Amino acid sequence: MIYDVKNETLPREDLEALQLRRLQALCERVYANVPFYKKKFDEKGVKPQDIKTLKDVRLLPFTVKQDLRDQYPFGMFAVPKDQIVRIHSSSGTTGTATVVGYTKRDIENWGQLVARCLMAAGASASDTVHNAYGYGLFTGGLGAHYGAEALGATVVPMSGGSTRRQVTLLKDFAPDVICCTPSYALFLAETGLEMGIDIRDLPLRIGIFGAEPWTNEMRTEIEKKLGITAIDIYGLSEVMGPGVAIECAAAQDGLHIQEDHFLAETINPVTGEPVAPGEEGELVFTTLTKEGIPLIRYRTRDLTVLNTTPCKCGRTTARMKRVTGRSDDMLIIRGVNVFPSQIESILIDTEGLTPHYQLIVERQGNLDTLEVRVEVNEALFSDEIKSLQRVESKVMKNIKEFLGVTAKVKLVEPKSIERSLGKAKRIIDNRNKG
């Protein structure tokens, strides 16, 4: 099923014509109303009227997260404050918070785009959506909430935390859809079993998961433990929030980007130059319709591949390959690039291990060291020490063979790694401490 047939199935030529019109209007708007962009355009020697084709987007300056921090709190707004109806903000735990403002139309568009996503995932107006994304300044909760209401579904605004109560409500309210992070979905399944509730026995049939990178191996684990179809949704607060892109249930083969609202590019993260079609690059978005805080060529740091071949679901929008890492999440261990998702794939493929793990990076002298701590399941935990040692050796060998880096592997008892109620904390990097 397609929520917005007209705009989700536009012929490519018509879609690109629409994108160009919106890009040209956007450039005029930010040049006139956002001093930050006027300065950046002038420094690049580009004027809004220079944008004559979509490829001319490459003439425009990039925007990075630090720019939003430097303009804290409202320096990037393109409309007077009295036209802003809602503000979201990052936590600011890794630097000055980034602030995003939405006009009334922005909020309406956001709801419609998330409604598109929910239907692409297989949801309908007759469904109940258990929303376990956090409400508040984080965009996840309210983004999913308004999208579900726009679809006409019933929303359970659970938010994050209170895990045992979440499981109880999953049983009592019998929702059809759950929205949360993938790691939290596994925690819910685990908690359910402790309470004597197997989520696989409940009517729940769809999980819409995002806000942290996850792998296909993790998808398999979730689908097995919750008995649902696990769908990947993509979004980031600076660009809009959840709903920028989503997999369709029909194919589960890449995430459809809402291209009538977001112009996507992939670039070499080092040089900033476009990568060839089909090659992995850093995802860059230009928001074509946002009014409150439109962004030009925002560098997401997420690595992906764009695919414009038609999808069997009927949507004509480009698809982005599942994001498995961020260019700024990449660890460099003794000169080797390592993404947590690569380690995750090896761990989940190893019998007896669980998807609960952490990567601890230290510096001993001048050398970086990597320790992988991963929980074993109950069956392996009860085995003799020799069995555990064999598994440790196997994982170390696979990490060395596949990633080219030496890692110490430490198997830990079940449920000993702290569970996250939102995004899982995978990396503990102690190299720059003390």
Side-chain angles (χ1 to χ4, degrees):
M1 294 288 288
I2 297 177
Y3 180 80
D4 183 349
V5 174
K6 177 186 171 187
N7 288 305
E8 294 182 76
T9 62
L10 277 173
R12 195 83 209 156
E13 188 178 320
D14 294 349
L15 174 61
E16 291 180 354
L18 175 65
Q19 287 181 313
L20 178 59
R21 288 197 302 276
R22 288 180 168 177
L23 177 63
Q24 291 168 327
L26 170 70
C27 290
E28 294 282 357
R29 196 150 39 89
V30 298
Y31 191 78
N33 298 320
V34 185
F36 166 83
Y37 277 124
K38 182 177 188 308
K39 183 170 181 287
K40 295 274 271 187
F41 276 43
D42 289 345
E43 287 173 351
K44 288 273 288 182
V46 60
K47 300 292 184 189
Q49 54 268 33
D50 294 330
I51 305 303
K52 301 186 187 305
T53 72
L54 279 182
K55 285 187 177 177
D56 290 337
V57 72
R58 297 169 189 169
L59 301 173
L60 300 172
F62 288 115
T63 308
V64 297
K65 179 172 277 192
Q66 188 59 44
D67 293 326
L68 275 72
R69 288 172 169 159
D70 292 344
Q71 299 297 316
Y72 178 87
F74 306 137
M76 299 291 283
F77 285 13
V79 298
K81 183 79 181 307
D82 61 3
Q83 293 182 31
I84 298 292
V85 300
R86 192 195 300 170
I87 289 173
H88 282 278
S89 170
S90 67
S91 63
T93 52
T94 58
T96 304
T98 56
V99 177
V100 183
Y102 300 78
T103 66
K104 184 178 179 184
R105 181 174 295 174
D106 288 335
I107 295 293
E108 290 171 355
N109 284 340
W110 190 9
Q112 291 298 309
L113 295 185
V114 176
R116 288 186 190 179
C117 290
L118 290 166
M119 187 164 280
S124 70
S126 61
D127 284 334
T128 297
V129 178
H130 180 103
N131 185 13
Y133 282 124
Y135 282 64
L137 289 173
F138 173 58
T139 53
L142 286 171
H145 183 109
Y146 279 82
E149 287 191 347
L151 179 65
T154 303
V155 189
V156 181
M158 184 62 212
S159 193
S162 305
T163 305
R164 295 178 79 85
R165 179 161 170 74
Q166 301 240 15
V167 174
T168 299
L169 294 188
L170 287 172
K171 175 176 173 288
D172 294 347
F173 293 178
D176 309 277
V177 181
I178 184 169
C179 301
C180 62
T181 60
S183 58
Y184 192 59
L186 288 174
F187 187 32
L188 284 169
E190 188 178 87
T191 304
L193 291 177
E194 289 174 357
M195 298 168 62
I197 298 172
D198 189 335
I199 292 179
R200 291 176 298 184
D201 296 334
L202 305 181
L204 193 68
R205 69 174 201 280
I206 300 168
I208 299 175
F209 305 117
E212 63 185 19
W214 53 306
T215 59
N216 272 324
E217 289 80 5
M218 175 81 95
R219 184 212 297 273
T220 302
E221 194 77 8
I222 290 170
E223 291 185 336
K224 185 170 68 176
K225 291 190 172 176
L226 282 83
I228 60 174
T229 300
I231 297 292
D232 192 5
I233 190 170
Y234 177 87
L236 60 171
S237 297
E238 296 85 357
V239 172
M240 182 180 74
V244 174
I246 193 162
E247 286 179 320
C248 60
Q252 285 186 288
D253 184 21
L255 290 82
H256 289 274
I257 297 170
Q258 316 275 14
E259 283 191 286
D260 49 332
H261 291 265
F262 307 104
L263 179 61
E265 306 169 70
T266 43
I267 63 166
N268 181 310
V270 177
T271 67
E273 294 299 316
V275 299
E279 285 188 10
E280 183 176 83
E282 180 184 334
L283 186 59
V284 173
F285 278 120
T286 296
T287 64
L288 297 174
T289 55
K290 278 189 71 181
E291 296 178 335
I293 179 168
L295 295 178
I296 301 287
R297 304 192 81 194
Y298 183 72
R299 294 187 60 164
T300 66
R301 303 296 178 186
D302 291 326
L303 302 175
T304 190
V305 177
L306 296 181
N307 172 14
T308 56
T309 59
C311 179
K312 69 178 185 181
C313 73
R315 292 172 180 80
T316 55
T317 47
R319 285 171 285 163
M320 54 182 270
K321 191 176 175 183
R322 171 194 292 272
V323 172
T324 55
R326 294 172 55 84
S327 58
D328 52 1
D329 274 353
M330 184 179 72
L331 293 168
I332 301 178
I333 309 294
R334 300 186 187 186
V336 179
N337 299 340
V338 178
F339 288 97
S341 57
Q342 294 172 311
I343 302 273
E344 180 179 299
S345 293
I346 291 171
L347 298 179
I348 295 179
D349 273 347
T350 305
E351 188 173 354
L353 302 187
T354 75
H356 304 294
Y357 67 95
Q358 284 185 323
L359 310 181
I360 294 91
V361 188
E362 308 272 1
R363 180 160 292 153
Q364 296 177 357
N366 293 320
L367 290 179
D368 294 336
T369 63
L370 172 64
E371 178 178 293
V372 179
R373 292 180 192 166
V374 55
E375 288 183 12
V376 299
N377 62 24
E378 296 286 353
L380 182 60
F381 186 59
S382 62
D383 276 357
E384 57 185 21
I385 290 186
K386 282 185 180 176
S387 299
L388 297 169
Q389 289 174 333
R390 275 198 295 272
V391 173
E392 281 183 348
S393 298
K394 180 181 177 183
V395 175
M396 281 192 284
K397 179 171 175 284
N398 286 341
I399 291 175
K400 180 68 176 176
E401 281 187 3
F402 289 111
L403 306 182
V405 65
T406 300
K408 178 183 176 184
V409 175
K410 185 176 182 181
L411 305 185
V412 298
E413 63 184 282
K415 301 172 188 171
S416 60
I417 291 178
E418 184 179 356
R419 301 295 191 260
S420 169
L421 303 183
K423 298 180 184 182
K425 185 173 184 179
R426 302 294 196 198
I427 300 172
I428 300 173
D429 193 339
N430 295 323
R431 285 178 291 189
N432 296 319
K433 292 182 180 174

